Amino acid sequence: NADSAMYKAKERGRNNFQFFARWMDTQVSNRLEMLVSLRQALDKDEFKLFYQPKVSIADGSIIGAEALIRWQSPEQGMVAPDRFIPFAEEAGLIVPIGEWVLRTACAQNKAWQEAGLLQIPVAVNLSPRQLDQSLPDFVRKVLTESALSAQWLELEITENVVMKDAEKTVATLNALKQLGLKISVDDFGTGYSSLSYLRRFPVDALKIDKSFVRDIARDADSAAIVKAVISLAHILNLRVIAEGVEDHEQYNFLRQNGCDEVQGYYFGKPMSVADFTLRLQQEQSSEE
Ligand code: C2E
Ligand code: MG
Ligand code: MG
Ligand code: MG
């Protein structure tokens, strides 16, 4: 409809603008070069996954991890995903990059399990472009190849995925759920999902966007939204997790209002495999 067409046009305009704003001042000065360098980054194995703990609000234990991509560029150093994922999405490169992410995260989680470390689900972010009918088969293949049981994989989708082509999306999400993995809705509160959509989508958890968490203490509206999302999630029988928790005040608010899980710098930044492995080892020795 007209609304969604306008929304798409706006989004595209914004992405183009961001592309120029972000890349004008670097040596990568046109889209073709950007495309070539991202393609090479994939071939040369320059992407890395960092892992950030998800923590139980009840007892502070690690109950999951989120895999977050970085580009370790020889020329530019560590490049954050916000600087190349939007471009990769536009250029169609997000599909091969996303496949690499899924394979790497599943293999890494299996390696942690084989090392006898705490078993946790690892969450992978999905771009809307990846969510097509072929995804369930691909995910099944990756799980088989990595010998990871589906219960240890979680997929994070954004709210707006849910809006376009709802019928197809529901079918794809159902097929993914049938594999036995978990699905959560990322950046919840920033998009367009309606209550009726949420009810129809086979998801397990809502992740409250960090912009609301950031303003909990100084903005009554944000505090009210956070409370409302927690209630909504529980009414729909979903877990609720808050992202971007940076201090004790935010943590207390979330705990007092019944949030289930938290994630943020206060509990651990996204870290390298080596650092996350240490964190899992510490967690295990403190449990014993
Ligand atoms: P996201 O999935 O919502 O991830 C949360 C972002 O918040 C991450 O940024 C994380 O590092 C950051 N964060 C975590 N705790 C805190 C905190 O306490 N305070 C603040 N201010 N930030 C915090 P990052 O790693 O830069 O990733 C940004 C976005 O890029 C992600 O947002 C996700 O949408 C996208 N992304 C990351 N990795 C992938 C990937 O493998 N595939 C796809 N398609 N997108 C990815
Ligand atoms: Mg995420
Ligand atoms: Mg998020
Ligand atoms: Mg985000």
Side-chain angles (χ1 to χ4, degrees), residues 66 68 124-125 156 186-187 207 243 263:
E66 178 175 4
L68 294 155
V124 166
N125 291 283
E156 296 192 3
D186 206 353
D187 303 340
K207 294 189 78 176
E243 64 174 24
Q263 185 181 356

Side-chain angles (χ1 to χ4, degrees), residues 205-218:
L206 301 184
K207 294 189 78 176
I208 304 175
D209 190 66
K210 58 178 179 294
S211 60
F212 303 112
V213 175
R214 184 189 57 216
D215 296 337
I216 276 176
R218 49 193 152 91

Side-chain angles (χ1 to χ4, degrees), residues 95-197:
V95 173
I97 292 174
E99 291 178 353
W100 176 86
V101 170
L102 194 66
R103 265 193 240 106
T104 306
C106 288
Q108 182 58 59
N109 201 11
K110 183 67 184 180
W112 279 322
Q113 294 184 351
E114 304 239 281
L117 293 167
L118 192 72
Q119 297 202 320
I120 51 169
V122 168
V124 166
N125 291 283
L126 284 188
S127 289
R129 293 278 296 260
Q130 292 176 264
L131 209 89
D132 77 22
Q133 284 139 305
S134 65
L135 185 66
D137 275 341
F138 179 75
V139 173
R140 185 192 300 114
K141 204 178 86 191
V142 170
L143 287 168
T144 305
E145 281 167 8
S146 60
L148 183 74
S149 162
Q151 64 179 306
W152 307 118
L153 176 63
E154 182 160 348
L155 300 175
E156 296 192 3
I157 59 173
T158 53
E159 246 176 302
N160 294 325
V161 160
V162 162
M163 290 300 291
K164 47 176 197 184
D165 219 339
E167 289 312 318
K168 266 193 196 155
T169 307
V170 171
T172 304
L173 293 179
N174 277 326
L176 286 167
K177 281 291 300 176
Q178 267 160 25
L179 299 175
L181 48 74
K182 294 184 185 61
I183 299 176
S184 53
V185 182
D186 206 353
D187 303 340
F188 190 77
T190 60
Y192 283 80
S193 57
S194 70
L195 286 175
S196 60
Y197 275 119

